[in-house]
Amino acid sequence: MNKNNSEILSAVQKFGTPSYIYDGEKLVQNYKNLVNALPECVDVFYALKVNPNVSLVKLLRSNGACTEVCSITEMEIALKAGSTPEDIVYLGPCKKDYELKKAIELNIFAIVIESEIELKRVSAFAKEMDIIANVAIRINPDFSAEGSPWKMGGRPTHFGIEEQHAIENFQVYLDTPNINVRGIHVYNGTNILEAKSVYENTKYILELYETIVRKYNCKFTMVDVGGGMGVPYFQNQEELDTQEFRNLMVPLFTNFNKKYPETRIIMESGRLIIGTSGCMAVQVNNMKTNHGKIFAVTDGGTNCHSAAAGSGRVVKRNFPMENISALPTAQEHKYQVSGPLCSPDDIIGRNIQLKEINVLDILLVKLSGAYGPTSSPGLFHSHGYPAEILLYQGESYLIRSKDSTDDIINKQIMVDFKKNELILN
């Protein structure tokens, strides 16, 4: 994030905390940096699951990004943001019937098939609608992506069809009624910081594509190689080497494109595009010392940013943080930064060095553009989801209102139990 602290403080004072703040110029630049590191034959699809805010998707779409969605709501967001069905792929291991029917009706570029049962369902719906449905077969590869802390291939998983089974049975998929198999999709891992790992992963997928094409003498019009490029959140991590990435990926994709010029090459990205363009702002509500440690209690914690709190990780490491309201001359101290929850795990900064903190100070959790509110338990203690703010071209925009008490309560339904009471004589 490149915005200065005064811009961020001004936005926070205007729209409140807890809130997520996004740098629009940084977002666009991250997207363009990725596009420029790839040959023209590759289309970049933004993965809405990392951050589906419609204004952010619209900004990326206006700069050429296609969209990868994982629910009917994400699909509607993509369409509202200006995506066309031709530039949407739809993933996810649990697609409801009405979601599949909607995707078929819209004639999106590809429904990514996660199982043979799902393929049969799509076939049946397409037959009912007298439509040919475009699909891609998701394969769970034997190969496991090195350098990924969250591997999604090469092991038992609910994603896709096992590689050898898919290869042996691909003719069945090709022969399925009312189905046009555009090609394959493989996603092996996420938050990969090594260009070589992305290259090896992609090379394996392209070779798998060729294996199937040769075995069944078929023509594909799509290969989705996933992506998984990451962000260095913690100390001793280095960012993806863009030049090495370009040197490896350009010849790989270019050579493939020469052999299969009619095949659309899709590379997905979410975290790399938006991760560094966002931060979370929280306000300090209370200060206390407990068992020799200083606690800064803020209005946003695990409920707003579970990733920063280390949810799901054995080793809890701090995201970069800053006290942006501290004086430049303030001394640093070691703090525990907590959120508002009655939970011992609600710590977003552990033994972290920050400039002197006082009540009402504004703290920033950086590198927070991806998997912030979308992967956090926003209804914990009924606090609701934080606000979202976009800083772009000198303006600040509220792009999501903070949940109010009414927002939460009005979705609940209180039963009138008196109607069901038994009158005892």
Side-chain angles (χ1 to χ4, degrees):
M1 186 155 185
N2 296 331
K3 299 301 181 184
N4 61 49
N5 289 346
S6 63
E7 289 179 275
I8 296 171
L9 279 171
S10 177
V12 167
Q13 289 163 0
K14 184 177 180 180
F15 298 116
T17 58
S19 55
Y20 276 83
I21 299 138
Y22 308 103
D23 180 339
E25 283 84 3
K26 178 67 172 172
L27 175 62
V28 171
Q29 191 58 55
N30 285 349
Y31 167 72
K32 289 183 176 179
N33 287 344
L34 176 57
V35 170
N36 292 336
L38 295 166
E40 291 185 4
C41 60
V42 179
D43 287 336
V44 174
F45 277 61
Y46 173 67
L48 266 72
K49 59 178 160 292
V50 304
N51 192 318
N53 187 283
V54 67
S55 289
L56 302 178
V57 179
K58 181 180 179 180
L59 185 55
L60 287 168
R61 178 62 183 169
S62 68
N63 282 276
C66 303
T67 45
E68 176 245 284
V69 303
C70 293
S71 70
I72 193 67
T73 303
E74 287 189 353
M75 191 182 301
E76 293 293 350
I77 290 170
L79 292 168
K80 186 175 182 180
S83 289
T84 59
E86 180 67 14
D87 289 330
I88 297 175
V89 294
Y90 180 21
L91 287 74
C94 182
K95 305 181 191 77
K96 301 290 183 66
D97 287 357
Y98 71 92
E99 294 178 311
L100 289 172
K101 290 177 180 178
K102 181 69 173 181
I104 296 168
E105 180 185 345
L106 285 170
N107 193 29
I108 65 171
F109 187 72
I111 300 169
V112 177
I113 298 297
E114 303 273 359
S115 71
E116 292 174 348
I117 288 177
E118 185 174 71
L119 182 63
K120 291 177 182 177
R121 289 167 61 211
V122 172
S123 172
F125 297 147
K127 185 177 181 180
E128 288 175 9
M129 300 162 72
D130 194 25
I131 292 174
I132 302 298
N134 297 312
V135 307
I137 305 299
R138 181 167 184 172
I139 296 177
N140 177 5
D142 296 337
F143 177 79
S144 182
E146 295 299 323
S148 170
W150 296 286
K151 292 179 172 60
M152 301 172 72
R155 63 183 181 86
T157 175
H158 56 297
F159 301 113
I161 302 171
E162 194 172 351
E163 179 179 325
Q164 288 307 311
H165 181 83
I167 292 173
E168 291 169 5
N169 291 274
F170 218 91
Q171 190 63 53
V172 176
Y173 312 152
L174 295 169
D175 293 340
T176 303
N178 294 83
I179 291 293
N180 172 36
V181 180
R182 285 196 182 273
I184 63 170
H185 168 282
V186 182
Y187 195 96
N188 249 353
T190 185
N191 206 38
I192 303 170
L193 299 175
E194 300 167 4
K196 184 71 171 177
S197 177
V198 180
Y199 167 80
E200 293 292 350
N201 181 48
T202 305
K203 182 171 176 286
Y204 187 94
I205 297 166
L206 297 180
E207 289 173 350
L208 178 58
Y209 169 105
E210 291 196 272
T211 296
I212 296 171
V213 166
R214 289 170 180 168
K215 182 178 176 65
Y216 292 100
N217 192 28
C218 57
K219 289 186 177 181
F220 285 156
T221 55
M222 165 194 171
V223 60
D224 187 333
V225 300
M229 294 79 71
V231 171
Y233 294 106
F234 312 118
Q235 289 184 346
N236 302 321
Q237 288 186 325
E238 295 183 4
E239 65 182 15
L240 184 75
D241 187 326
T242 306
Q243 189 57 52
E244 182 187 6
F245 178 85
R246 178 177 177 78
N247 292 342
L248 290 168
M249 305 304 287
V250 168
L252 179 65
F253 283 132
T254 301
N255 290 335
F256 178 86
N257 179 247
K258 287 178 180 177
K259 286 193 283 186
Y260 304 99
E262 296 179 358
T263 298
R264 186 179 193 181
I265 305 171
I266 293 173
M267 178 163 255
E268 301 166 18
S269 182
R271 195 191 304 266
L272 182 68
I273 291 173
I274 202 169
T276 60
S277 65
C279 62
M280 181 179 75
V282 295
Q283 186 172 52
V284 179
N285 172 270
N286 195 7
M287 298 292 301
K288 61 188 295 184
T289 300
N290 197 312
H291 285 263
K293 293 193 173 185
I294 307 171
F295 284 78
V297 183
T298 75
D299 58 1
T302 309
N303 57 312
C304 299
H305 200 333
S306 65
S311 298
R313 295 200 310 266
V314 175
V315 179
K316 314 290 187 182
R317 294 187 286 179
N318 296 320
F319 277 46
M321 294 182 67
E322 182 182 357
N323 179 2
I324 63 171
S325 49
L327 294 172
T329 57
Q331 297 295 307
E332 285 194 351
H333 301 282
K334 188 178 288 185
Y335 295 98
Q336 317 301 311
V337 181
S338 72
L341 306 180
C342 296
S343 167
D345 290 332
D346 191 24
I347 305 292
I348 55 175
R350 295 171 175 78
N351 299 314
I352 189 167
Q353 291 285 141
L354 295 169
K355 287 187 175 181
E356 183 179 348
I357 299 176
N358 295 290
V359 172
L360 301 184
D361 275 349
I362 302 297
L363 309 183
L364 285 190
V365 183
K366 300 180 179 181
L367 304 180
S368 299
Y371 297 107
T374 54
S375 66
S376 302
L379 293 181
F380 202 168
H381 289 9
S382 298
H383 285 295
Y385 287 90
E388 292 183 277
I389 303 162
L390 173 63
L391 304 180
Y392 186 57
Q393 296 181 339
E395 300 288 337
S396 61
Y397 304 93
L398 183 66
I399 58 174
R400 189 192 194 284
S401 300
K402 182 182 183 296
D403 282 354
S404 67
T405 298
D406 285 345
D407 289 331
I408 297 169
I409 293 177
N410 289 343
K411 290 180 180 289
Q412 301 180 18
I413 300 170
M414 184 166 65
V415 174
D416 183 359
F417 293 104
K418 289 183 180 180
K419 291 181 179 180
N420 298 316
E421 285 181 353
L422 292 175
I423 299 175
L424 301 177
N425 295 324

